[in-house]
Amino acid sequence: MNAADVDTGTGAVGTGVTVTADDHGGGGGPGHGPGGGRHGAGGRGRLMAGLRRRLVKRRIRIRRTRGRRLRRALIVLLALLANLVGAAVVAYHLTKIPEPHPETAMQSTVFVDDHGDYLGRRGPVDRQEIPLSQVPRYVQEAVIAAENRSFRTDTGISPKAIARAAWSTVSGGGRQGGSTITQQYVKNALLSPQQSLSRKAREALISIKLDRTRSKDEILQGYLNTVYFGRGAAGIQSAARNYFGVDAKDLTVSQGAALASVINIPSYYEKAGSDPKVTAKLVDRWEWVLDAMAHSGAITSAQQAAARFPAFRFYPPGDTDGQRQYLIDAAASEAADRLGITEDQLARGGYTVRTTFDLTAQDATAELAADGTDKKPGEKTAEAKAAEAKAGGMKQAEVKTTGDVRVHTAVVALVPGDGAVRVLYGGADYASQPFNDARDGAVEAGTALQPFSGMKLLAPLTHLTRTAAPTPLRLASAYATAAAHGVYATPYTVAKITRAGRTLYEARPRTRTAMTRADAGMAAKLLYGRSDAPPAIQTGAAGLRTLWQTTYDERLTLTVALFAEHPAKGKKAALPAPLPYTAENRSLSVSEGVWSKIVGTAEGHDPAAEPNPGLPTGQTKPILATR
C-alpha cells in the first residue's frame, strides 16, 4: 500500500466512498470529469445557500419594517386624497352656475284661434316656457321614470355614469348616456355639447352646486322647458302641441308617458305615428315607462291597465305658408302694438296669442274660394259654360275663367257691436301673394255703398261714401255698424295675450256711435225688404270689375268681395279684368257656406213677428266675442 492509497483510503473512510488513484484525477484522464463535477456542484450549493440566507434576512427585514412602510404609503395616499379633495373644494367654490345659452332663452310665440286650436308660430325656435304647475304630476313622473329614477333623491350626479363616460372618452368609445336629469339640464342649457373630460368634470361640479342651491322642482322645470323632443320642439309645451295638438296641462297619462319615451332618441322617435317600425319600438319603451310609473306609485295599476298608446299627429307636418299666415300677420301686428314692442320682440318672447279667428270657418272659406267651387251638383263645368256663352256671342273677357285672368276673393266675417274678426281670407296662398286683399286691398265698391247714401255718418265712417275703393274689412265694419243699431266697433283680431301662464292683455270692445239708430234701421229694413227674411243680404258691384255680397244680422256680418285682374308679366303691371260670369255663383257659395259654419241657418225666423219688422233683433249690449 503506497501513500496515495493510504490518503485515498482515509478520504474514502471519511466519505464512505472508495476512490482509486485514477478516480482522483491526476493529469486529465477520464476521471477528471467526475472530480471536476463534484467541485462544481459544491460551488453551486454554496451559492444557493448564500441566496437563501439573504432571502431569509430580507424577509425578516421586511417583516420588521412592514408597519413603517404601510404608514408611509397611507400618509402618501391620504396626502394625495387631501390634495384631490382640496382641489375639488376649491374648484367647487370657484365654479359659478352659468346663465342659460341665448338660444335656450329664446322662445317662439304661438298663435291659437278663438277655441284654442293651433294656428302657427313665429320665432327662431319652437319653444315656450311654462311653470311646472302647468305640467301634470304624472307627466313629471313619466319623465323621471324614463330618464332618471333617482332624481328626487340623488345629489345631481351619477358617479357610475361619469366614470363610464370618462372611460369611453379616453378609450375612444361611443357616446355614453345615463346622466342625471340635472346633468342633462346643465349640458343642454348651460354648457356646450362638447365631449371632453374637462367639460364632463365641469358639468359634474355645476350639477352638484345646482342640486345644492336649487330645489328639485326648479331643476325639473328648467329641464322640461329646454329638453329636445324632436319635431323641432324644445320643451314640453311645444312638444305637446307638435305631437298631440294640446297644451302641456291637457296631456293625458298615456300622452305624457309617450313624450317621456321620445326623449331618449328624439330624432328617431319623432316619426312615430307615420313609421310603423318606429312606432312599434316606441310602444315598447312606452310600456316600460308605464311599468316604472306604476312601480313607483306615480300611477295606479288601474290607470296603467286603462292606458292606450296615443295617436300621434302626422309627421312631418304641412307647412303654414298657405292661408294661415295671413291670420298670423294680422294678429302679430296687432299683438305687438298692444304690448308696445316690435314684432321681432314678440316673435322671440314666448307669448301665446289667442286670436278671434274661427279656424274651422277659415278653412271652409279657403275650400269654398278655391277654383272649382263655383260648380254645384248637376251643373255643367265652368269651362263648358264658357264655351256655350262664347258660342252665344258673349265677349271672351266676360267668360274667361282660366288663362291670364286671375280672380281674387276676399272674405271678412266679424261680430257686430264687438268687432271680433272671425274670418279674414286675404288670398289663396301666402307664399305666392303675401298681400292681404281682405285687410289691405282696395276694391271698387260701386253699388255696395248704396245703403249708406244720404246717411249722416260719424267717425270713423265719415268719408265712407266718398271712398271709391274701400277695403273689404272697412266695408264689412260699416254693415256691422248697421247690424248693431249704429254702434261702430273697432275690428280686432287679438282676444288675449299670455306668457308663462300670466295674462298680459285682454281685449275689450272699443265702440262708438257712427250712425243714428234710425239710419241703421232704415238700411236694415231696405236690405231685409230685398231678401224677405233675415239675415239681410246686400249685393253690389262696380260694373263687371267687382262683385260684393254682404250678409248680416245681429250675430254676424259677412262680406265677400271678388275682383279680377290680368297678372303682371315682366315689367308689365297687373291690369283690372272683367269677372267671369261664374263670379256670382262663387260669391253665393262662399257666403252660404261660411255663414252656416259660423252661425248655422236661420230657420223659422219671421221678421214680421218682430215689433219693428225688418230690423235686426234688438241688443241691450254688444255681443262679447272674446273667450
Side-chain angles (χ1 to χ4, degrees):
M1 183 179 295
N2 56 38
D5 293 334
V6 173
D7 290 342
T8 306
T10 303
V13 173
T15 61
V17 179
T18 302
V19 182
T20 64
D22 289 340
D23 290 337
H24 192 267
H32 186 275
R38 175 173 174 238
H39 285 290
R44 285 195 296 273
R46 287 190 297 273
L47 178 62
M48 293 304 295
L51 287 174
R52 281 195 295 271
R53 285 193 298 271
R54 283 195 293 272
L55 287 174
V56 170
K57 290 179 180 179
R58 187 173 182 181
R59 282 198 294 268
I60 293 171
R61 188 167 56 252
I62 289 174
R63 282 197 297 268
R64 290 174 179 174
T65 60
R66 179 181 297 167
R68 186 166 62 253
R69 288 172 176 274
L70 289 175
R71 286 193 295 273
R72 287 177 179 175
L74 183 59
I75 290 171
V76 172
L77 180 60
L78 290 175
L80 179 61
L81 289 175
N83 286 333
L84 290 175
V85 170
V89 170
V90 171
Y92 175 82
H93 286 290
L94 291 178
T95 298
K96 293 182 179 180
I97 298 175
E99 292 295 321
H101 297 311
E103 296 83 359
T104 305
M106 289 180 184
Q107 302 183 61
S108 63
T109 286
V110 169
F111 297 82
V112 299
D113 82 343
D114 186 53
H115 302 285
D117 293 331
Y118 182 75
L119 277 178
R121 70 174 182 90
R122 289 278 170 87
V125 295
D126 190 0
R127 189 180 80 85
Q128 281 194 303
E129 284 191 8
I130 56 173
L132 192 63
S133 59
Q134 291 188 17
V135 182
R137 181 74 178 193
Y138 50 76
V139 177
Q140 300 175 34
E141 295 301 325
V143 173
I144 291 172
E147 293 297 303
N148 178 197
R149 296 179 184 180
S150 64
F151 171 72
R152 300 286 185 190
T153 57
D154 64 33
T155 60
I157 64 170
S158 171
K160 289 182 179 179
I162 293 175
R164 186 168 58 248
W167 172 252
S168 177
T169 301
V170 171
S171 62
R175 179 179 175 180
Q176 293 292 321
S179 298
T180 65
I181 282 176
T182 306
Q183 287 177 269
Q184 290 184 57
Y185 171 62
V186 170
K187 178 180 63 178
N188 295 336
L190 309 181
L191 295 177
S192 71
Q194 175 190 3
Q195 295 296 310
S196 66
L197 286 175
S198 60
R199 192 206 59 79
K200 197 70 179 176
R202 188 162 180 243
E203 174 191 303
L205 287 172
I206 294 173
S207 297
I208 295 171
K209 197 161 194 174
L210 200 67
D211 189 77
R212 292 174 62 86
T213 57
R214 309 275 175 87
S215 70
K216 290 290 187 181
D217 280 354
E218 287 180 284
I219 296 171
L220 185 59
Q221 175 177 296
Y223 176 77
L224 288 175
N225 277 322
T226 54
V227 66
Y228 184 62
F229 285 87
R231 296 195 176 190
I236 190 72
Q237 175 73 344
S238 295
R241 284 205 175 111
N242 286 7
Y243 282 90
F244 302 114
V246 301
D247 288 328
K249 63 182 176 62
D250 298 319
L251 287 169
T252 65
V253 170
S254 294
Q255 291 170 338
L259 287 182
S261 302
V262 166
I263 297 173
N264 181 243
I265 318 175
S267 60
Y268 177 75
Y269 287 130
E270 68 182 2
K271 302 177 184 67
S274 58
D275 186 318
K277 183 179 178 181
V278 174
T279 304
K281 288 189 176 182
L282 186 60
V283 168
D284 289 340
R285 184 168 175 79
W286 172 78
E287 291 174 345
W288 174 75
V289 170
L290 286 178
D291 285 341
M293 293 175 69
H295 185 265
S296 68
I299 59 174
T300 65
S301 56
Q303 285 177 302
Q304 182 184 12
R308 297 291 180 272
F309 190 76
F312 279 28
R313 297 178 70 186
F314 181 76
Y315 183 79
D319 61 56
T320 56
D321 285 339
Q323 183 52 219
R324 297 185 184 187
Q325 286 296 343
Y326 291 110
L327 309 183
I328 294 174
D329 268 0
S333 175
E334 185 177 325
D337 182 64
R338 296 291 179 263
L339 295 176
I341 59 178
T342 66
E343 288 192 45
D344 184 62
Q345 290 172 319
L346 177 79
R348 296 170 180 268
Y351 301 95
T352 295
V353 178
R354 193 181 194 100
T355 69
T356 60
F357 302 122
D358 184 327
L359 189 54
T360 301
Q362 184 78 26
D363 290 343
T365 303
E367 288 184 21
L368 292 166
D371 288 340
T373 56
D374 301 329
K375 180 179 176 293
K376 294 183 178 180
E379 282 191 332
K380 297 179 181 178
T381 64
E383 289 76 8
K385 287 184 177 181
E388 290 181 1
K390 185 177 181 180
M394 293 182 66
K395 294 180 181 179
Q396 178 65 21
E398 294 175 346
V399 301
K400 200 168 186 179
T401 59
T402 58
D404 65 345
V405 175
R406 180 181 177 187
V407 178
H408 291 252
T409 304
V411 184
V412 177
L414 48 82
V415 179
D418 179 282
V421 179
R422 292 288 183 240
V423 172
L424 189 67
Y425 180 86
D429 184 16
Y430 184 90
S432 59
Q433 181 199 302
F435 184 81
N436 191 320
D437 287 330
R439 186 179 67 164
D440 306 312
V443 183
E444 285 185 275
T447 58
L449 288 173
Q450 198 171 59
F452 304 105
S453 300
M455 285 189 185
K456 184 180 180 181
L457 300 175
L458 305 177
L461 301 179
T462 306
H463 304 295
L464 177 66
T465 55
R466 295 198 296 272
T467 304
T471 66
L473 180 59
R474 190 178 185 206
L475 190 63
S477 299
Y479 280 99
T481 302
H485 314 298
V487 176
Y488 174 87
T490 303
Y492 66 96
T493 63
V494 176
K496 191 176 184 179
I497 304 174
T498 59
R499 186 182 187 187
R502 187 165 60 93
T503 299
L504 303 178
Y505 169 81
E506 193 159 9
R508 293 287 182 270
R510 293 185 292 174
T511 61
R512 61 185 302 171
T513 300
M515 64 179 69
T516 66
R517 191 178 182 91
D519 282 344
M522 287 300 296
K525 187 173 184 177
L526 174 66
L527 299 181
Y528 276 139
R530 290 178 179 176
S531 59
D532 296 326
I537 299 175
Q538 201 279 341
T539 302
L544 297 174
R545 297 181 300 278
T546 66
L547 178 64
W548 293 79
Q549 181 168 304
T550 297
T551 306
Y552 78 84
D553 63 12
E554 75 280 5
R555 298 167 295 175
L556 187 74
T557 295
L558 173 65
T559 294
V560 179
L562 278 75
F563 65 95
E565 68 175 7
H566 296 289
K569 290 183 179 180
K571 296 182 179 180
K572 186 178 180 182
L575 297 172
L579 285 166
Y581 81 95
T582 56
E584 187 173 355
N585 252 7
R586 175 180 295 201
S587 179
L588 284 170
S589 175
V590 172
S591 294
E592 292 173 1
V594 176
W595 184 272
S596 64
K597 280 288 182 183
I598 300 177
V599 298
T601 55
E603 296 179 357
H605 189 79
D606 183 8
E610 297 181 3
N612 190 352
L615 289 179
T617 303
Q619 289 177 257
T620 58
K621 60 181 180 180
I623 301 171
L624 299 180
T626 57
R627 290 176 183 266

